[in-house]
Amino acid sequence: MKESSLRRRIFADRAFQALVALLSFCAILPMFFILFFITKNGIAVINWNFLTRLPAPVGETGGGIANGIIGSGLLIVLSSVIAVPVGVLTGIYLAEHRKGKFAYLSRLSVEILMGIPSIVIGIIAYIWVVMPTGSFSAISGGVALGIMMLPVIVMSTEETLKLIPDSLKEASLALGVSYPRTILKVILPAGLNGIVTGVLLSVARVTGETAPLLFTAFGSPFMAVNILKPVSALPLTVFNYATSPYPEWHALAWGASFVLLVFVLALNLTAKLGLRKWKVQF
Amino acid sequence: MESPVLRIENFCAGFDSNQVLKDINLSILRNKITAVMGPSGCGKTTLIRCINRMHELIPNANVSGKILLDEQNIFDLDPIIVRRKIGMVFQRPNPFPTMSIYDNVIAGYNLNGIRISKGDKDRIVEESLKKAALWDEVKDALHRKGTFLSGGQQQRLCIARALAMDPEILLLDEPTSALDPKSTAHIEELVVHLKDAVTIIQVTHNIPQAARISDFTAFIYLGELVEFGPTEKLFTVPKDKRTEEYLTGKFG
Amino acid sequence: MIQPIEGGAGQTPARAKTRDKTMTQTKAETAQAHYRPGFTLSEAAFRKILYLAGISVLVLLIAIFLSLLIASLPSIKALGISFLTGRTWDPVTLKFGALPFLVGTLITSFLALLISTFFSIPISIFLGYYYREGKASSFVKTVIELLAGIPSVIYGFWGLFFFVPIIRFIETALGVPPYGVGILASSLILAIMIIPYSASLGREVISLVPNDLKEAALSLGATRFEVIRKVILPYARSGIFAGILLSLGRALGETMAVTMLIGNSNFLPTSIFSPANTMASVIANEFTEATGAVYLSSLIELALLLFVVTTIINIIGKIIIIKTSFEA
């Protein structure tokens, strides 16, 4: 082989590796831009009043996002109540039935649910809850977010339980422990770490969702805790104020974005890093 | 003459159309150690998994014939009751990873929702761990996780867990196959001691082990019970040619 | 019904060396009397509950489809195929031609896909081959995962204040109307948003390429670049494609960021700078104001369309993944 061709190949190799590294680096840049932008603009408006007061009318300064925080909390509780029990049970079902046509259909449904655009879920909650009750409400928002949480919880529960060795189940059954107790008291505790991770990730997923809330929870400038009335939510606050023409409201939107971003990223990081530490060893 | 605690009559078992065990007849005597030996895949593990009805947990499993525990067919009983009367220890130690040593031993009670006083629990844990010859090693660490123990200790913990339920029969499915020689010796010694308290049926493919510890030996080959008798007799004057060939290492 | 029988611990230590049948029975009977039932759930009931949970996701999916279909019927009946081919969307005159939104959705999504592929494939190679372990790798991986976790509305907000001025500047320089918002802005933000989806699947398939294949090529004197080109990419091709397909599914249905950046124009876009609307953004903008049965129903028909298209894309992507994982 000729020396020059070898040199060219080595050069191509190095150049390609540099290009890959460069493009990868560029792709993660937006993360830092976003963090920088949101933090710079957001932190300036964050103070105790901002977190505890209701929004101020146009022209006045010093309003807060308390309604959004409370509303988001309420929506998370409602959607978790709907999605966690069904999601965990479905996950158990799929982990216990690895083969079979029915389990396959069920698994496929979960994957399709995962891919449905959030705006479509919003319309479904509108058709199912808002139309019959005749009013936008926290509960309709909870249904929408619950449907979005469901597949995440199912998948993480199934994945976690699949990794638990069968010998554990046999140990319990051989002690004369019934099947329900074996699942609930031996298998679930052994997989608790993964299930909690899944729930946290699903909460992180829906906390930032705006589209499904536009015509369900709808938004409200008041401190609302009635689940049959419209409520605000942090992402709705961001959307409404960010797209308004008033600079005071933009400030509110930056602050709300910062709070939302910190919450969602912290939840993601906790789920991915923090929970590894107390993972069950087999 | 001692009465048999367990009688297996015309027993067949398998999966789908694949028959693993063919027409087994066997009587297990109380407070004796019965070894079940045979080459891999001969059906010996299936046999003891049938005795506490673990076999039927596998989809498409089937059984026919009778297994009588104290003259009562176990297939007429609830499997859960059968499993409480007939304990089992598996090839690989499988302590519950989320539980402490203490909770592992008492798990049969806690998981079954059987409520007993703290004093009784303490006593059962201590007795069971003593029977399993583990008490001295773990008495100061009862509330540590069971998974921190060595493999041999974990296996003795599993034996203690089974003994805590006060079973009539203890099934050991090659309990030393995943252990080092020293732990194996320890477990063998323990098993011999235990027979005063409980009837033991142990599966092994280790011929010397069967000879060392058992009172009776059953030799299973290709799903058939080839020979069954007192261990000494079976090892010295085997009646069947296949037994002789197996013992002399011609196959398996 | 399952009943635990071992209740009285009192008998436990008193195990006689020789027991007869009658003794055992007495023991069982007394034990039963001691048993206090706590929470009991029969196996059959428990299995039924699990089965119902398993079926619930399928029922949910079918219910979603049927609800959308039924709610779309007024629009399907009134408009028929003209819904998909009509170029005019004017609620005042009851003209509902969704073609501008279909075109807007396709252009923004494919443009975003094009841009994101330039970055997602290098990331897949970076994480799946060059740096499979170590600090650099876990840092990049974590950041990518966090990018996937940033709420859409925050991308949109950031895009408004970051991309829009830049694009407005470019537009002024090029002499086109300086809207700022429009297809380009939406596609850029969409591209960033979908990178994590195709990158994570790409990384997985690339790291699944068997080591002996790579080593065989290296031992023949191939450079790492040649290994990537001749061994890894051919091997991982269909998996990478599946990742891109799944990220397309994301892009098509992405709503908030696009709604904030696309400029909301109900006319057919004429260039990548023009404002437009996607199916998702028009729903977000007009749904709460939609008065009249056909208007509301036609928006729901758009949702039905989105649902069907993303479902088909996801199923195809899934099939490709299953096929490749069987080959591997």
Side-chain angles (χ1 to χ4, degrees):
Chain A
M1 207 176 291
K2 271 191 285 178
E3 179 102 344
S4 65
S5 113
L6 183 65
R7 213 176 289 146
R8 203 165 54 231
R9 285 173 55 213
I10 290 174
F11 174 76
D13 181 48
R14 298 244 167 93
F16 184 74
Q17 182 167 1
L19 185 68
V20 162
L22 181 72
L23 289 173
S24 302
F25 176 72
C26 288
I28 63 172
L29 272 184
M31 176 75 194
F32 299 102
F33 276 124
I34 291 173
L35 276 182
F36 173 75
F37 247 73
I38 303 285
T39 311
K40 191 189 96 188
N41 292 304
I43 217 142
V45 296
I46 301 267
N47 54 43
W48 183 245
N49 282 342
F50 181 78
L51 297 174
T52 54
R53 289 223 183 137
L54 291 175
V58 185
E60 286 177 33
T61 49
I65 55 163
N67 58 334
I69 295 175
I70 300 286
S72 276
L74 183 65
L75 288 168
I76 290 170
V77 171
L78 286 173
S79 53
S80 304
V81 166
I82 295 167
V84 173
V86 183
V88 171
L89 285 172
T90 308
I92 296 174
Y93 177 83
L94 292 179
E96 288 291 295
H97 299 80
R98 291 172 204 192
K99 286 174 190 161
K101 210 164 201 168
F102 185 77
Y104 175 77
L105 271 180
S106 182
R107 200 167 285 126
L108 187 67
S109 307
V110 173
E111 263 151 18
I112 293 174
L113 280 176
M114 186 90 180
I116 299 180
S118 57
I119 188 97
V120 176
I121 305 280
I123 286 191
I124 282 299
Y126 179 86
I127 296 174
W128 288 352
V129 187
V130 177
M131 278 189 354
T133 59
S135 144
F136 298 115
S137 58
I139 186 71
S140 60
V143 167
L145 298 186
I147 296 174
M148 300 209 65
M149 285 173 82
L150 189 66
V152 184
I153 298 176
V154 174
M155 282 178 171
S156 58
T157 305
E158 186 196 358
E159 292 300 315
T160 310
L161 297 188
K162 264 186 183 168
L163 294 178
I164 295 175
D166 268 349
S167 64
L168 210 60
K169 198 159 105 193
E170 295 202 322
S172 172
L173 291 170
L175 285 171
V177 179
S178 69
Y179 179 73
R181 281 178 183 276
T182 298
I183 297 294
L184 296 176
K185 299 201 160 180
V186 176
I187 304 298
L188 275 191
L192 192 63
N193 167 72
I195 296 172
V196 171
T197 306
V199 171
L200 288 186
L201 287 178
S202 72
V203 169
R205 180 184 186 200
V206 301
T207 308
E209 277 297 344
T210 320
L213 300 180
L214 289 173
F215 19 89
T216 55
F218 192 67
S220 152
F222 309 113
M223 195 74 84
V225 284
N226 185 340
I227 61 167
L228 299 174
K229 291 269 165 63
V231 291
S232 190
L234 277 178
L236 281 177
T237 309
V238 175
F239 178 60
N240 289 331
Y241 293 152
T243 50
S244 78
Y246 313 110
E248 299 96 326
W249 281 10
H250 287 166
L252 277 181
W254 289 120
S257 298
F258 180 74
V259 173
L260 184 61
L261 195 63
V262 168
F263 182 75
V264 170
L265 294 187
L267 220 51
N268 269 304
L269 280 177
T270 316
K272 277 167 189 152
L273 307 172
L275 287 172
R276 268 184 219 157
K277 293 211 170 112
W278 50 278
K279 200 171 175 183
V280 174
Q281 301 291 322
F282 296 110
Chain B
M1 181 66 199
E2 295 141 296
S3 65
V5 59
L6 190 83
R7 278 196 297 136
I8 301 172
E9 289 181 356
N10 307 326
F11 187 74
C12 306
F15 312 99
D16 280 329
S17 55
N18 173 21
Q19 207 182 6
V20 181
L21 290 172
K22 296 160 202 155
D23 198 32
I24 305 283
N25 286 284
L26 195 61
S27 287
I28 306 290
L29 294 188
R30 200 182 291 286
N31 295 98
K32 298 287 180 213
I33 298 173
T34 305
V36 179
M37 66 174 193
S40 300
C42 70
K44 54 192 192 303
T45 293
T46 303
L47 177 65
I48 71 160
R49 286 176 65 92
C50 287
I51 296 176
N52 73 344
R53 300 192 59 179
M54 296 293 282
H55 174 65
E56 61 209 74
L57 293 173
I58 299 159
N60 311 323
N62 56 58
V63 294
S64 68
K66 285 183 185 170
I67 296 180
L68 301 161
L69 174 67
D70 293 321
E71 300 306 318
Q72 204 173 13
N73 191 353
I74 62 165
F75 294 103
D76 298 336
L77 293 170
D78 193 302
I80 282 167
I81 290 168
V82 175
R83 290 178 201 143
R84 281 181 211 166
K85 290 185 175 185
I86 304 177
M88 185 159 185
V89 174
F90 298 84
Q91 285 190 25
R92 300 197 146 270
N94 53 1
F96 296 120
T98 50
M99 299 181 192
S100 65
I101 292 172
Y102 184 98
D103 287 336
N104 258 290
V105 178
I106 207 71
Y109 293 83
N110 284 346
L111 293 177
N112 278 312
I114 301 166
R115 282 174 225 162
I116 53 176
S117 71
K118 180 80 172 65
D120 283 341
K121 277 188 188 176
D122 290 346
R123 195 169 39 70
I124 291 171
V125 169
E126 184 174 342
E127 275 170 12
S128 307
L129 286 172
K130 277 181 177 161
K131 280 188 206 162
L134 191 61
W135 174 252
D136 291 332
E137 290 158 62
V138 301
K139 66 182 175 208
D140 300 320
L142 287 178
H143 295 284
R144 289 193 68 192
K145 288 259 153 63
T147 38
F148 286 109
L149 298 172
S150 73
Q153 287 173 321
Q154 286 190 18
Q155 195 61 298
R156 277 179 279 145
L157 178 60
C158 293
I159 293 176
R161 180 174 68 190
L163 290 174
M165 293 303 282
D166 192 22
E168 305 227 357
I169 297 174
L170 187 60
L171 306 171
L172 303 171
D173 182 8
E174 302 190 31
T176 59
S177 66
L179 301 181
D180 59 275
K182 203 172 159 221
S183 305
T184 300
H186 214 126
I187 301 258
E188 282 183 13
E189 197 185 323
L190 166 66
V191 169
V192 174
H193 277 294
L194 276 178
K195 72 173 173 180
D196 292 339
V198 61
T199 309
I200 289 169
I201 304 175
Q202 172 165 359
V203 163
T204 180
H205 60 220
N206 178 337
I207 299 169
Q209 187 174 60
R212 277 197 299 271
I213 63 171
S214 67
D215 304 303
F216 293 88
T217 297
F219 172 57
I220 294 184
Y221 182 59
L222 296 178
E224 278 177 63
L225 179 65
V226 173
E227 194 167 345
F228 175 61
T231 300
E232 217 166 302
K233 254 191 181 164
L234 189 133
F235 273 79
T236 46
V237 276
K239 282 181 224 147
D240 197 289
K241 202 163 170 291
R242 286 170 294 179
T243 315
E244 193 182 332
E245 281 175 354
Y246 180 66
L247 292 176
T248 51
K250 294 246 170 71
F251 57 83
Chain C
M1 195 62 182
I2 292 148
Q3 292 289 323
I5 57 140
E6 186 73 86
Q11 291 92 343
T12 312
R15 177 180 282 282
K17 277 197 178 180
T18 52
R19 281 179 309 179
D20 59 27
K21 199 177 124 199
T22 47
M23 260 187 74
T24 323
Q25 271 179 352
T26 342
K27 185 189 161 197
E29 276 158 22
T30 40
Q32 212 132 29
H34 280 253
Y35 172 67
R36 281 158 288 167
F39 164 76
T40 43
L41 179 64
S42 79
E43 175 164 353
F46 184 68
R47 284 192 185 273
K48 191 159 264 174
I49 292 172
L50 288 187
Y51 178 77
L52 284 178
I55 209 169
S56 71
V57 281
L58 184 60
V59 170
L60 181 64
L61 191 65
I62 294 171
I64 289 174
F65 175 69
L66 289 181
S67 301
L68 290 173
L69 187 65
I70 292 167
S72 305
L73 280 179
S75 146
I76 295 172
K77 274 186 196 142
L79 307 167
I81 194 75
S82 77
F83 179 73
L84 299 179
T85 54
R87 291 156 163 257
T88 320
W89 180 273
D90 187 2
V92 181
T93 56
L94 291 180
K95 281 193 173 152
F96 300 104
L99 189 65
F101 312 138
L102 303 186
V103 173
T105 307
L106 288 178
I107 295 179
T108 43
S109 298
F110 279 97
L111 196 55
L113 212 57
L114 196 69
I115 301 167
S116 78
T117 309
F118 272 106
F119 297 97
S120 66
I121 291 179
I123 293 175
S124 309
I125 296 171
F126 185 88
L127 293 175
Y129 183 62
Y130 283 123
Y131 297 93
R132 296 177 66 168
E133 270 152 27
K135 283 205 174 118
S137 164
S138 66
F139 176 72
V140 172
K141 220 161 86 187
T142 309
V143 173
I144 296 288
E145 280 172 4
L146 289 181
L147 266 177
I150 292 180
S152 164
V153 71
I154 288 183
Y155 275 112
F157 192 20
W158 174 69
L160 272 179
F161 286 80
F162 184 79
F163 277 138
V164 169
I166 296 175
I167 292 171
R168 199 174 283 146
F169 176 78
I170 295 172
E171 283 170 339
T172 317
L174 291 177
V176 291
Y179 295 108
V181 291
I183 288 179
L184 184 61
S186 309
S187 299
L188 281 173
I189 209 81
L190 265 181
I192 298 173
M193 294 176 72
I194 60 177
I195 283 173
Y197 294 95
S198 40
S200 73
L201 197 64
R203 177 192 67 85
E204 227 169 281
V205 289
I206 285 179
S207 62
L208 282 178
V209 177
N211 244 334
D212 43 350
L213 282 185
K214 291 183 261 182
E215 280 170 1
L218 285 173
S219 70
L220 289 174
T223 63
R224 298 212 281 176
F225 174 46
E226 286 155 354
V227 171
I228 291 169
R229 231 176 30 169
K230 301 270 167 62
V231 178
I232 292 179
L233 289 183
Y235 194 94
R237 196 176 45 208
S238 48
I240 293 172
F241 178 70
I244 293 173
L245 204 58
L246 293 181
S247 65
L248 174 65
R250 287 272 147 190
L252 289 174
E254 181 45 55
T255 312
M256 293 322 293
V258 175
T259 305
M260 294 164 88
L261 291 172
I262 199 154
N264 303 316
S265 150
N266 290 352
F267 301 103
L268 270 178
T270 49
S271 81
I272 59 164
F273 294 113
S274 45
N277 242 335
T278 66
M279 291 149 82
S281 72
V282 77
I283 297 173
N285 275 320
E286 302 188 5
F287 196 80
T288 48
E289 301 151 15
T291 45
V294 177
Y295 190 9
L296 194 69
S297 171
S298 63
L299 288 173
I300 295 177
E301 192 179 345
L302 282 178
L304 175 69
L305 218 56
L306 264 183
F307 172 81
V308 171
V309 171
T310 49
T311 300
I312 291 172
I313 286 179
N314 281 322
I315 291 177
I316 294 174
K318 206 66 222 165
I319 290 171
I320 296 174
I321 292 171
I322 291 171
K323 274 197 177 156
T324 39
S325 60
F326 272 124
E327 283 163 18

